[in-house]
Amino acid sequence: MAAYLQWRRFVFFDREMVKEPSGPDGAGAKPFALPPGIVVCDSGRGSLVFGDILCGAGRCQIWFLPRSLQLSSFQAYKLRVTHLYQLKQHSILVSVGEDEEGINPLVKVWNLEKRDGGNPLCTRIFPAIPGNKPTVVSCLTVHENLNFMAIGFADGSVVLTKGDITRDRHSKTQILHEGSYPVTGLAFRQSGKTTHLFVVTTENIQSYMLSVKDCPHLELDTHGCGLRCSSLSDPSQDLQFIVAGNECVYLYQPDERGPCFAFEGQKLIVHWYRGYLIIVSKDRKTSPKSEFAGNEAQNSDKQVLNIYDLCNKFIAYSSIFDDIVDVLAEWGSLYVLTRDGKIYVLQEKDTQTKLEACKYIFLLMLFRKNLFEMAINLAKSHHLDSDGLSEIFRQYGDHLYNKGNHDGAIQQYIRTIGKLEPSYVIRKFLDAQRIHNLTAYLQMLHLQSLANADHTTLLLNCYTKLKDSSKLEEFIKTSESEVHFDVETAIKVLRQAGYYSHAVYLAEKHEHHEWYLKIQLEDIKNYQEALHYIGKLPFEQAESNMKRYGKILMHHVPNETTELLKILCTDYRPSGGNEGPGMLEGKKASSEEFIPVFANNSRELKAFLEHMTEVQADSPQGVYDTLLELRLQNWAHEQDEQIKEKLHNEALTLLKSGRFKTVFDKALVLCQMHSFKDGVLYLYEQGKLFQQIIHYHMQNEQYKKVIEVCELYGDQEACLWEQALGYFARKEENCKEYIAAVLKHIENKNLMPPLLVVQTLAHNSTATLSVIKDYLVNKLQKQSRQIEQDEQKIQKYREETMRIRLEIEELKASPKIFQKTKCSICTSALELPSVHFLCGHSFHQHCFESYSESDSECPTCMPENRKVMDMIRAQEQKRDLHDQFQHQLRCSNDGFSVVADYFGRGVFNKLTLITDLPSGKTATTIEAGLQRELLIHTKRST
């Protein structure tokens, strides 16, 4: 809050009375006089517009005063004009007035460019009544886009018209606001596509958002203002709504209250003009009631017109008038209308005149006489503000500089620090001969913490050019709480100037780790110290810096770097205790991420990887992969047989550690690349790639190994013997021994048909009949024995079948005599009633009923019969399993046995299973029982 009495006062406007144009005789012009009864006025579109009231025999007129001062008018109402609003971008005038006594306000919209009988065309007329109760119109405003018009009333209502305000049928009216206090001011605010309406009453201020449905509103303050005491600023003040109370002037945004200014006095009129706030006020205060009444209680009082510049905080003009009606802005000037009909014009002065008026005359005289010390003392005695004093110091410094007194000038410029732009002074002292003065100024600039990075750079360059090491050390070796410069900039400048020790000191003190390491490694090349420094850093920073500088350190200090990496990846704790005393558990980095650091140091890499695998068995897979590759490389390039054997065992041991199950393919490729035979074979074995194992030995013509592989894995993959036989069959050299061994195993396991064996060996020119003679003889003998056994079984089955058929015929043709004397369940003597079955079992009736599950089945034979029935049903279900049959046929070495097995199951027969008939069909009951007994007997016989 700023008190206006402390603001400087200027006379930036010239006041003149408007006079009538001089006559042809050149006589002195008279003051221009307005018609009597003027009560309202507005301006725009090149004219001042006035409205009057009915006076005697006169009529209620709207008057237009152009710049030529030729008055024109037309009758708008019969009784009085109460409000006028002239749009600035359209030739549209909106008026409110009355045609008859009583409260009957009418709103009329006039198109000034169109004429109706010589008068402006009235495009719309409608009564200004909120609801059904007539009330007095208190204020009026219209949006420049002609789509909104707001009317305020004394009963606290606000009526909003939306749409084209010039036509009835293209607009609609609604009551936007209702309250208990009279509406004293309205203003539209347009920001982009958002439209707000400010509503001020005698007791509050509200903001409505019109571009949103339902027009939400926000109360901005709980005090208001009188009539004509509010206005809207221009974009220079961000279109703020200005409300003038008796104590202060407040500025508002649509959603909050802005700054306020303590301008005392009873406010009568408030306007905004070209960045100026215009306030007409009385010298003495009145009550709020008289504020709303138009402030007409004391018409004879003197009124003060003040023009304020809120941005620069000064009063541009102040003057006293008699009974001001209003203040209008048009033609680039302000026009003050008074109650006696006079018009005064306030014309703003040009820029040069303003500047001359701004100067303090007495100080200017002292400046011109170069009495700067006296001017400074005088300014201090009159409590001149710091800005004014700074300007005096600047002029004094310029005076001394022009006289060549550079030491004195720099002392005056130092007193302007904080007010004067440093570049103004620095440009004057960039000459090498004035470097001492520039250094003094920059030092003071840093002490007041007003220096930026460029100032720091310049000061350090001054120190280095002066070679003033003591000042330089004093500047950089201040305590942390007294640092007045940008540390990073200082490090850069010192490094560029070659002051590496100073740069390192700053970087270490202020924990600029990257700069410290850059200077140590790239400039000083102190690799040992840099590595020691990294070991003191917190874990995250140590990890990132080792990734960045690890290769350089590994090249120059490989052993120490490797040791630090081992610690970093296992259990890292800063050597300097930078993590704090509460850091009990160490952190560890991913060892896999540091493998690229050892790009040209395979020996250190091997030591690092072996350490990680020993300490951390769960190291990342990349560690084991790299270690395997490294051991294979060393094994492949080693010439000493003993060392080569040791490396061979190490690589094979690593492979057998079980860490390569998930990366089987990668390990296999590594072993193949380095021709590591044992590793390849081990991986083949682990992956159950038996065919690859045998192919490997075949490629290397290792015949014994081929036979060994077949013996080891032939039971798991029988086709190995077939491949071995084909392999030896294609060899032109003498392989009779190996062929005989393969044939012997094929014969024992019955892996191949004899015909296929003969066809396979037919391709070998060295394989004579003697090679397979024993195989063929043995095979034929076995088949002969098998034929004999089969013929014996066939004869047996024929005899059994004949016996069963005779038994069936006997059951069909001859009576069955039951000679059992004991019950088959309780083994007691049979007594009537008894139950007999064709199978030969007999039961007491009460035993049969107690133990039997079915009336038609023998309890004794039933378990065996069920097994037979289940087997028959299983065969019935399996005989259509064609996919299973095809699969077994393809995978079996003896397809004929598979076909015979399925043939025996009845796959190729249509089996009809005869079960018991219902009790109603007794004609074939005996035959069905015979068939079932036949099936059961057949099962028992087999």
Side-chain angles (χ1 to χ4, degrees), residues 3 11 43 83 116 172 273 300 390 399 423 437 467 486 497 520 620 694 701 734 758 787 882 890 930:
V11 183
S43 63
H83 296 83
D116 182 15
K172 60 180 181 179
Y273 169 75
S300 62
S390 177
H399 171 70
S423 59
N437 304 126
K467 300 186 182 302
D486 184 76
Q520 289 283 16
I694 196 171
E701 297 185 350
N734 190 357
V758 174
I787 291 171
H882 302 294
R890 285 194 303 269
L930 291 174

Side-chain angles (χ1 to χ4, degrees), residues 562-608:
T562 304
E563 291 302 318
L564 179 58
L565 286 175
K566 289 179 181 179
I567 298 173
L568 188 64
C569 295
T570 52
D571 187 19
Y572 179 78
R573 291 181 177 84
S575 58
N578 292 340
E579 297 270 354
M583 185 67 188
L584 300 177
E585 183 179 354
K587 298 182 179 179
K588 58 182 179 181
S590 174
S591 52
E592 186 177 6
E593 296 178 359
F594 291 98
I595 292 177
V597 171
F598 299 88
N600 299 315
N601 300 76
S602 57
R603 181 173 61 85
E604 286 76 14
L605 175 60
K606 182 181 178 182
F608 172 73

Side-chain angles (χ1 to χ4, degrees), residues 147-202:
N147 287 326
F148 295 98
M149 177 168 60
I151 304 173
F153 296 87
D155 66 350
S157 303
V158 175
V159 173
L160 176 68
T161 300
K162 290 185 177 181
D164 190 352
I165 66 167
T166 63
R167 299 182 182 182
D168 286 323
R169 61 180 180 178
H170 293 294
S171 63
K172 60 180 181 179
T173 302
Q174 69 180 76
I175 297 178
L176 180 67
H177 172 81
E178 290 181 323
S180 303
Y181 304 104
V183 178
T184 58
L186 298 168
F188 287 107
R189 183 183 188 272
Q190 187 71 39
S191 178
K193 295 182 180 181
T194 304
T195 304
H196 288 88
L197 174 64
F198 291 100
V199 178
V200 58
T201 68
T202 57

Side-chain angles (χ1 to χ4, degrees), residues 710-729:
C710 292
E711 291 175 347
L712 287 174
Y713 312 116
D715 295 338
Q716 301 180 46
E717 200 164 342
C719 62
L720 294 177
W721 290 103
E722 300 177 16
Q723 295 179 13
L725 181 63
Y727 169 73
F728 289 123

Side-chain angles (χ1 to χ4, degrees), residues 171 233 249 355 385 432 440 453 605 705 725 815 911:
S171 63
S233 69
V249 174
L355 292 176
D385 59 14
L605 175 60
K705 291 291 184 179
L725 181 63
L911 178 63

Side-chain angles (χ1 to χ4, degrees), residues 822-828 830 837 841-852 858-860:
K822 292 183 180 181
C823 177
S824 298
I825 293 178
C826 64
T827 66
S828 299
L830 280 175
F837 284 88
H841 295 110
S842 299
F843 308 92
H844 293 113
Q845 184 174 358
H846 62 86
C847 291
F848 175 75
E849 291 174 352
S850 300
Y851 288 94
S852 66
C858 174
T860 304

